[in-house]
PDB file of all heavy atoms in Angstrom:
ATOM      1  N   ARG A   1      -7.892  -7.009  -0.771  1.00 98.00           N
ATOM      2  CA  ARG A   1      -9.045  -7.176  -1.652  1.00 98.00           C
ATOM      3  C   ARG A   1     -10.099  -6.109  -1.391  1.00 98.00           C
ATOM      4  O   ARG A   1     -10.698  -5.568  -2.329  1.00 98.00           O
ATOM      5  CB  ARG A   1      -9.659  -8.565  -1.477  1.00 98.00           C
ATOM      6  CG  ARG A   1      -8.894  -9.680  -2.148  1.00 98.00           C
ATOM      7  CD  ARG A   1      -9.737 -10.948  -2.242  1.00 98.00           C
ATOM      8  NE  ARG A   1     -10.162 -11.411  -0.927  1.00 98.00           N
ATOM      9  CZ  ARG A   1      -9.467 -12.270  -0.193  1.00 98.00           C
ATOM     10  NH1 ARG A   1      -8.308 -12.741  -0.635  1.00 98.00           N
ATOM     11  NH2 ARG A   1      -9.917 -12.655   0.987  1.00 98.00           N
ATOM     12  N   THR A   2     -10.319  -5.795  -0.133  1.00 98.00           N
ATOM     13  CA  THR A   2     -11.317  -4.787   0.225  1.00 98.00           C
ATOM     14  C   THR A   2     -10.977  -3.433  -0.397  1.00 98.00           C
ATOM     15  O   THR A   2     -11.855  -2.730  -0.912  1.00 98.00           O
ATOM     16  CB  THR A   2     -11.403  -4.642   1.754  1.00 98.00           C
ATOM     17  OG1 THR A   2     -11.842  -5.885   2.303  1.00 98.00           O
ATOM     18  CG2 THR A   2     -12.380  -3.548   2.154  1.00 98.00           C
ATOM     19  N   ILE A   3      -9.707  -3.057  -0.358  1.00 98.00           N
ATOM     20  CA  ILE A   3      -9.283  -1.785  -0.943  1.00 98.00           C
ATOM     21  C   ILE A   3      -9.362  -1.832  -2.464  1.00 98.00           C
ATOM     22  O   ILE A   3      -9.851  -0.895  -3.110  1.00 98.00           O
ATOM     23  CB  ILE A   3      -7.859  -1.431  -0.476  1.00 98.00           C
ATOM     24  CG1 ILE A   3      -7.840  -1.218   1.043  1.00 98.00           C
ATOM     25  CG2 ILE A   3      -7.344  -0.182  -1.191  1.00 98.00           C
ATOM     26  CD1 ILE A   3      -6.462  -1.093   1.641  1.00 98.00           C
ATOM     27  N   LYS A   4      -8.936  -2.928  -3.056  1.00 98.00           N
ATOM     28  CA  LYS A   4      -8.954  -3.053  -4.516  1.00 98.00           C
ATOM     29  C   LYS A   4     -10.364  -3.036  -5.089  1.00 98.00           C
ATOM     30  O   LYS A   4     -10.577  -2.627  -6.233  1.00 98.00           O
ATOM     31  CB  LYS A   4      -8.236  -4.345  -4.938  1.00 98.00           C
ATOM     32  CG  LYS A   4      -6.727  -4.258  -4.865  1.00 98.00           C
ATOM     33  CD  LYS A   4      -6.085  -5.525  -5.426  1.00 98.00           C
ATOM     34  CE  LYS A   4      -4.575  -5.378  -5.550  1.00 98.00           C
ATOM     35  NZ  LYS A   4      -3.934  -6.585  -6.115  1.00 98.00           N
ATOM     36  N   GLU A   5     -11.330  -3.476  -4.310  1.00 97.00           N
ATOM     37  CA  GLU A   5     -12.712  -3.482  -4.772  1.00 97.00           C
ATOM     38  C   GLU A   5     -13.248  -2.070  -4.994  1.00 97.00           C
ATOM     39  O   GLU A   5     -14.187  -1.873  -5.761  1.00 97.00           O
ATOM     40  CB  GLU A   5     -13.607  -4.215  -3.766  1.00 97.00           C
ATOM     41  CG  GLU A   5     -13.451  -5.727  -3.793  1.00 97.00           C
ATOM     42  CD  GLU A   5     -14.192  -6.411  -2.655  1.00 97.00           C
ATOM     43  OE1 GLU A   5     -14.833  -5.687  -1.845  1.00 97.00           O
ATOM     44  OE2 GLU A   5     -14.127  -7.643  -2.556  1.00 97.00           O
ATOM     45  N   VAL A   6     -12.651  -1.096  -4.335  1.00 97.00           N
ATOM     46  CA  VAL A   6     -13.158   0.277  -4.396  1.00 97.00           C
ATOM     47  C   VAL A   6     -12.225   1.214  -5.160  1.00 97.00           C
ATOM     48  O   VAL A   6     -12.676   2.118  -5.853  1.00 97.00           O
ATOM     49  CB  VAL A   6     -13.399   0.816  -2.971  1.00 97.00           C
ATOM     50  CG1 VAL A   6     -13.889   2.249  -3.005  1.00 97.00           C
ATOM     51  CG2 VAL A   6     -14.399  -0.072  -2.232  1.00 97.00           C
ATOM     52  N   PHE A   7     -10.921   0.994  -5.047  1.00 98.00           N
ATOM     53  CA  PHE A   7      -9.945   1.895  -5.677  1.00 98.00           C
ATOM     54  C   PHE A   7      -9.319   1.219  -6.882  1.00 98.00           C
ATOM     55  O   PHE A   7      -8.693   0.167  -6.760  1.00 98.00           O
ATOM     56  CB  PHE A   7      -8.855   2.276  -4.669  1.00 98.00           C
ATOM     57  CG  PHE A   7      -7.861   3.276  -5.190  1.00 98.00           C
ATOM     58  CD1 PHE A   7      -8.238   4.578  -5.466  1.00 98.00           C
ATOM     59  CD2 PHE A   7      -6.535   2.911  -5.413  1.00 98.00           C
ATOM     60  CE1 PHE A   7      -7.327   5.506  -5.944  1.00 98.00           C
ATOM     61  CE2 PHE A   7      -5.614   3.831  -5.897  1.00 98.00           C
ATOM     62  CZ  PHE A   7      -6.016   5.135  -6.161  1.00 98.00           C
ATOM     63  N   ASP A   8      -9.471   1.833  -8.058  1.00 96.00           N
ATOM     64  CA  ASP A   8      -8.965   1.232  -9.293  1.00 96.00           C
ATOM     65  C   ASP A   8      -7.655   1.862  -9.770  1.00 96.00           C
ATOM     66  O   ASP A   8      -7.210   1.609 -10.890  1.00 96.00           O
ATOM     67  CB  ASP A   8     -10.012   1.304 -10.406  1.00 96.00           C
ATOM     68  CG  ASP A   8     -10.408   2.739 -10.762  1.00 96.00           C
ATOM     69  OD1 ASP A   8      -9.869   3.685 -10.141  1.00 96.00           O
ATOM     70  OD2 ASP A   8     -11.254   2.914 -11.657  1.00 96.00           O
ATOM     71  N   GLY A   9      -7.012   2.666  -8.923  1.00 98.00           N
ATOM     72  CA  GLY A   9      -5.705   3.216  -9.260  1.00 98.00           C
ATOM     73  C   GLY A   9      -4.605   2.214  -8.956  1.00 98.00           C
ATOM     74  O   GLY A   9      -4.854   1.031  -8.683  1.00 98.00           O
ATOM     75  N   ASN A  10      -3.370   2.678  -9.013  1.00 98.00           N
ATOM     76  CA  ASN A  10      -2.229   1.810  -8.705  1.00 98.00           C
ATOM     77  C   ASN A  10      -2.229   1.456  -7.225  1.00 98.00           C
ATOM     78  O   ASN A  10      -2.391   2.324  -6.372  1.00 98.00           O
ATOM     79  CB  ASN A  10      -0.911   2.513  -9.043  1.00 98.00           C
ATOM     80  CG  ASN A  10      -0.839   2.960 -10.489  1.00 98.00           C
ATOM     81  OD1 ASN A  10      -1.339   2.278 -11.377  1.00 98.00           O
ATOM     82  ND2 ASN A  10      -0.227   4.109 -10.733  1.00 98.00           N
ATOM     83  N   ILE A  11      -2.027   0.190  -6.925  1.00 98.00           N
ATOM     84  CA  ILE A  11      -1.904  -0.271  -5.536  1.00 98.00           C
ATOM     85  C   ILE A  11      -0.687  -1.174  -5.449  1.00 98.00           C
ATOM     86  O   ILE A  11      -0.547  -2.110  -6.233  1.00 98.00           O
ATOM     87  CB  ILE A  11      -3.156  -1.033  -5.065  1.00 98.00           C
ATOM     88  CG1 ILE A  11      -4.386  -0.125  -5.078  1.00 98.00           C
ATOM     89  CG2 ILE A  11      -2.941  -1.600  -3.660  1.00 98.00           C
ATOM     90  CD1 ILE A  11      -5.671  -0.819  -4.694  1.00 98.00           C
ATOM     91  N   GLU A  12       0.189  -0.895  -4.505  1.00 98.00           N
ATOM     92  CA  GLU A  12       1.424  -1.672  -4.385  1.00 98.00           C
ATOM     93  C   GLU A  12       1.740  -1.932  -2.910  1.00 98.00           C
ATOM     94  O   GLU A  12       1.589  -1.059  -2.064  1.00 98.00           O
ATOM     95  CB  GLU A  12       2.582  -0.900  -5.014  1.00 98.00           C
ATOM     96  CG  GLU A  12       3.855  -1.703  -5.164  1.00 98.00           C
ATOM     97  CD  GLU A  12       3.806  -2.698  -6.318  1.00 98.00           C
ATOM     98  OE1 GLU A  12       3.014  -2.497  -7.262  1.00 98.00           O
ATOM     99  OE2 GLU A  12       4.574  -3.670  -6.270  1.00 98.00           O
ATOM    100  N   ILE A  13       2.170  -3.152  -2.635  1.00 98.00           N
ATOM    101  CA  ILE A  13       2.648  -3.495  -1.307  1.00 98.00           C
ATOM    102  C   ILE A  13       4.147  -3.217  -1.255  1.00 98.00           C
ATOM    103  O   ILE A  13       4.898  -3.679  -2.112  1.00 98.00           O
ATOM    104  CB  ILE A  13       2.363  -4.973  -0.986  1.00 98.00           C
ATOM    105  CG1 ILE A  13       0.857  -5.229  -0.981  1.00 98.00           C
ATOM    106  CG2 ILE A  13       2.974  -5.346   0.364  1.00 98.00           C
ATOM    107  CD1 ILE A  13       0.497  -6.688  -0.843  1.00 98.00           C
ATOM    108  N   VAL A  14       4.573  -2.447  -0.268  1.00 98.00           N
ATOM    109  CA  VAL A  14       5.975  -2.073  -0.127  1.00 98.00           C
ATOM    110  C   VAL A  14       6.674  -3.133   0.730  1.00 98.00           C
ATOM    111  O   VAL A  14       6.454  -3.204   1.935  1.00 98.00           O
ATOM    112  CB  VAL A  14       6.113  -0.682   0.523  1.00 98.00           C
ATOM    113  CG1 VAL A  14       7.587  -0.311   0.665  1.00 98.00           C
ATOM    114  CG2 VAL A  14       5.379   0.367  -0.312  1.00 98.00           C
ATOM    115  N   LYS A  15       7.477  -3.929   0.103  1.00 96.00           N
ATOM    116  CA  LYS A  15       8.182  -5.004   0.824  1.00 96.00           C
ATOM    117  C   LYS A  15       9.468  -4.441   1.419  1.00 96.00           C
ATOM    118  O   LYS A  15      10.564  -4.660   0.920  1.00 96.00           O
ATOM    119  CB  LYS A  15       8.449  -6.169  -0.125  1.00 96.00           C
ATOM    120  CG  LYS A  15       7.171  -6.850  -0.599  1.00 96.00           C
ATOM    121  CD  LYS A  15       7.459  -8.004  -1.531  1.00 96.00           C
ATOM    122  CE  LYS A  15       6.201  -8.795  -1.857  1.00 96.00           C
ATOM    123  NZ  LYS A  15       5.187  -8.009  -2.571  1.00 96.00           N
ATOM    124  N   SER A  16       9.295  -3.706   2.492  1.00 95.00           N
ATOM    125  CA  SER A  16      10.402  -2.988   3.122  1.00 95.00           C
ATOM    126  C   SER A  16      10.264  -3.061   4.632  1.00 95.00           C
ATOM    127  O   SER A  16       9.180  -3.303   5.166  1.00 95.00           O
ATOM    128  CB  SER A  16      10.387  -1.525   2.671  1.00 95.00           C
ATOM    129  OG  SER A  16      11.209  -0.716   3.485  1.00 95.00           O
ATOM    130  N   ARG A  17      11.382  -2.840   5.325  1.00 95.00           N
ATOM    131  CA  ARG A  17      11.317  -2.766   6.782  1.00 95.00           C
ATOM    132  C   ARG A  17      10.611  -1.503   7.234  1.00 95.00           C
ATOM    133  O   ARG A  17      10.191  -1.392   8.396  1.00 95.00           O
ATOM    134  CB  ARG A  17      12.718  -2.834   7.380  1.00 95.00           C
ATOM    135  CG  ARG A  17      13.603  -1.622   7.090  1.00 95.00           C
ATOM    136  CD  ARG A  17      15.014  -1.876   7.587  1.00 95.00           C
ATOM    137  NE  ARG A  17      15.886  -0.722   7.453  1.00 95.00           N
ATOM    138  CZ  ARG A  17      16.521  -0.391   6.343  1.00 95.00           C
ATOM    139  NH1 ARG A  17      16.345  -1.122   5.243  1.00 95.00           N
ATOM    140  NH2 ARG A  17      17.325   0.658   6.303  1.00 95.00           N
ATOM    141  N   TYR A  18      10.481  -0.522   6.337  1.00 97.00           N
ATOM    142  CA  TYR A  18       9.776   0.707   6.665  1.00 97.00           C
ATOM    143  C   TYR A  18       8.278   0.478   6.444  1.00 97.00           C
ATOM    144  O   TYR A  18       7.832   0.265   5.317  1.00 97.00           O
ATOM    145  CB  TYR A  18      10.265   1.859   5.784  1.00 97.00           C
ATOM    146  CG  TYR A  18      11.737   2.131   5.919  1.00 97.00           C
ATOM    147  CD1 TYR A  18      12.611   1.874   4.864  1.00 97.00           C
ATOM    148  CD2 TYR A  18      12.263   2.636   7.100  1.00 97.00           C
ATOM    149  CE1 TYR A  18      13.962   2.126   4.981  1.00 97.00           C
ATOM    150  CE2 TYR A  18      13.619   2.891   7.224  1.00 97.00           C
ATOM    151  CZ  TYR A  18      14.467   2.630   6.170  1.00 97.00           C
ATOM    152  OH  TYR A  18      15.810   2.870   6.298  1.00 97.00           O
ATOM    153  N   THR A  19       7.524   0.501   7.503  1.00 98.00           N
ATOM    154  CA  THR A  19       6.095   0.197   7.399  1.00 98.00           C
ATOM    155  C   THR A  19       5.186   1.365   7.763  1.00 98.00           C
ATOM    156  O   THR A  19       4.015   1.360   7.379  1.00 98.00           O
ATOM    157  CB  THR A  19       5.740  -1.000   8.301  1.00 98.00           C
ATOM    158  OG1 THR A  19       6.110  -0.700   9.642  1.00 98.00           O
ATOM    159  CG2 THR A  19       6.454  -2.259   7.837  1.00 98.00           C
ATOM    160  N   ALA A  20       5.689   2.368   8.479  1.00 98.00           N
ATOM    161  CA  ALA A  20       4.874   3.536   8.830  1.00 98.00           C
ATOM    162  C   ALA A  20       4.881   4.513   7.656  1.00 98.00           C
ATOM    163  O   ALA A  20       5.367   5.649   7.753  1.00 98.00           O
ATOM    164  CB  ALA A  20       5.397   4.195  10.101  1.00 98.00           C
ATOM    165  N   LEU A  21       4.335   4.067   6.535  1.00 98.00           N
ATOM    166  CA  LEU A  21       4.452   4.804   5.275  1.00 98.00           C
ATOM    167  C   LEU A  21       3.801   6.181   5.341  1.00 98.00           C
ATOM    168  O   LEU A  21       4.269   7.140   4.727  1.00 98.00           O
ATOM    169  CB  LEU A  21       3.835   3.981   4.139  1.00 98.00           C
ATOM    170  CG  LEU A  21       4.455   2.603   3.926  1.00 98.00           C
ATOM    171  CD1 LEU A  21       3.655   1.813   2.893  1.00 98.00           C
ATOM    172  CD2 LEU A  21       5.907   2.721   3.482  1.00 98.00           C
ATOM    173  N   GLY A  22       2.716   6.291   6.087  1.00 98.00           N
ATOM    174  CA  GLY A  22       2.048   7.580   6.213  1.00 98.00           C
ATOM    175  C   GLY A  22       2.852   8.612   6.970  1.00 98.00           C
ATOM    176  O   GLY A  22       2.641   9.817   6.804  1.00 98.00           O
ATOM    177  N   ASN A  23       3.784   8.155   7.798  1.00 98.00           N
ATOM    178  CA  ASN A  23       4.626   9.076   8.569  1.00 98.00           C
ATOM    179  C   ASN A  23       5.917   9.451   7.854  1.00 98.00           C
ATOM    180  O   ASN A  23       6.476  10.520   8.100  1.00 98.00           O
ATOM    181  CB  ASN A  23       4.980   8.469   9.928  1.00 98.00           C
ATOM    182  CG  ASN A  23       3.840   8.559  10.924  1.00 98.00           C
ATOM    183  OD1 ASN A  23       2.838   9.219  10.676  1.00 98.00           O
ATOM    184  ND2 ASN A  23       3.991   7.881  12.048  1.00 98.00           N
ATOM    185  N   ILE A  24       6.409   8.559   6.992  1.00 98.00           N
ATOM    186  CA  ILE A  24       7.714   8.805   6.375  1.00 98.00           C
ATOM    187  C   ILE A  24       7.622   9.428   4.994  1.00 98.00           C
ATOM    188  O   ILE A  24       8.645   9.792   4.416  1.00 98.00           O
ATOM    189  CB  ILE A  24       8.546   7.507   6.300  1.00 98.00           C
ATOM    190  CG1 ILE A  24       7.847   6.462   5.428  1.00 98.00           C
ATOM    191  CG2 ILE A  24       8.822   6.970   7.693  1.00 98.00           C
ATOM    192  CD1 ILE A  24       8.634   5.174   5.273  1.00 98.00           C
ATOM    193  N   CYS A  25       6.396   9.578   4.474  1.00 98.00           N
ATOM    194  CA  CYS A  25       6.231  10.138   3.135  1.00 98.00           C
ATOM    195  C   CYS A  25       5.147  11.200   3.143  1.00 98.00           C
ATOM    196  O   CYS A  25       4.065  10.996   3.693  1.00 98.00           O
ATOM    197  CB  CYS A  25       5.870   9.029   2.146  1.00 98.00           C
ATOM    198  SG  CYS A  25       5.657   9.591   0.447  1.00 98.00           S
TER     199      CYS A  25
END
């Protein structure tokens, strides 16, 4: 909610075992 209050672009939760998204992409 905190992020959505400020950013109005696309926001998606990645339901994956890969969680270090900033490192893998």
Side-chain angles (χ1 to χ4, degrees):
R1 283 195 301 269
T2 297
I3 296 170
K4 284 186 172 181
E5 285 172 0
V6 179
F7 184 67
D8 61 0
N10 303 324
I11 297 177
E12 190 76 23
I13 297 173
V14 180
K15 294 180 172 63
S16 165
R17 68 187 185 277
Y18 301 112
T19 57
L21 301 173
N23 282 351
I24 62 178
C25 181

